[in-house]
């Protein structure tokens, strides 16, 4: 997780740095609408993402405090991802993106 001194001064730049790539946004979208997801769920619902990028982005989101990774002591091991309380505060941003994207598509 970055310290406050390492974050950009501009709040918009901070948001873009944390969630500003298309894969992170789609990962967060999945977790907002499905609450919990396993790695294979992400692979199925975001087929264009590589497993390496998915792993890297999930780790980054976890490091930034937006995603919680829960490991279950089972055989075979099971891992579930969910949004942290901080990550859940992103819902209004994604809702606004959904509304704007819908508006844009209808007004082309």
């Amino acid at each position: 997780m970055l310290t406050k001194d390492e974050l950009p001064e501009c709040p918009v730049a901070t948001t873009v740095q944390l969630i500003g790539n298309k894969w992170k946004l789609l990962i967060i979208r999945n977790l907002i609408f499905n609450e919990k997801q396993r790695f294979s769920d992400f692979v199925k619902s975001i087929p264009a993402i590589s497993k390496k990028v998915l792993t890297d982005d999930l780790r980054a989101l976890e490091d930034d405090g937006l995603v919680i990774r829960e490991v279950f002591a089972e055989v075979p091991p099971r891992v579930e991802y969910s949004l942290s309380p901080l990550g859940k505060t992103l819902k209004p941003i994604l809702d606004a993106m959904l509304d704007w994207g819908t508006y844009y598509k209808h007004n082309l």
Side-chain angles (χ1 to χ4, degrees), residues 95-108:
D95 287 343
M97 292 175 76
L98 175 94
D99 292 343
W100 188 87
T102 302
Y103 172 82
Y104 180 81
K105 288 172 74 172
H106 289 305
N107 290 289
L108 279 177

Side-chain angles (χ1 to χ4, degrees), residues 11-84:
V12 172
T14 297
T15 304
V16 169
Q17 183 173 330
L18 293 171
I19 64 167
N21 77 44
K22 67 180 176 181
W23 303 123
K24 285 182 181 178
L25 284 170
L26 294 177
I27 290 167
I28 293 166
R29 174 207 62 190
N30 282 16
L31 292 173
I32 285 174
F33 296 116
N34 299 306
E35 291 193 30
K36 292 188 178 200
Q37 293 250 280
R38 296 177 71 178
F39 191 88
S40 61
D41 297 327
F42 289 114
V43 172
K44 290 175 191 169
S45 62
I46 313 172
I49 192 170
S50 73
K51 290 181 180 179
K52 181 190 180 327
V53 170
L54 177 57
T55 299
D56 291 347
D57 282 353
L58 283 167
R59 284 183 184 152
L61 290 166
E62 183 181 10
D63 289 345
D64 291 333
L66 301 175
V67 168
I68 296 169
R69 180 179 184 264
E70 187 175 4
V71 181
F72 295 88
E74 299 174 353
V75 177
R78 178 170 53 114
V79 178
E80 289 183 346
Y81 297 90
S82 60
L83 288 175
S84 68

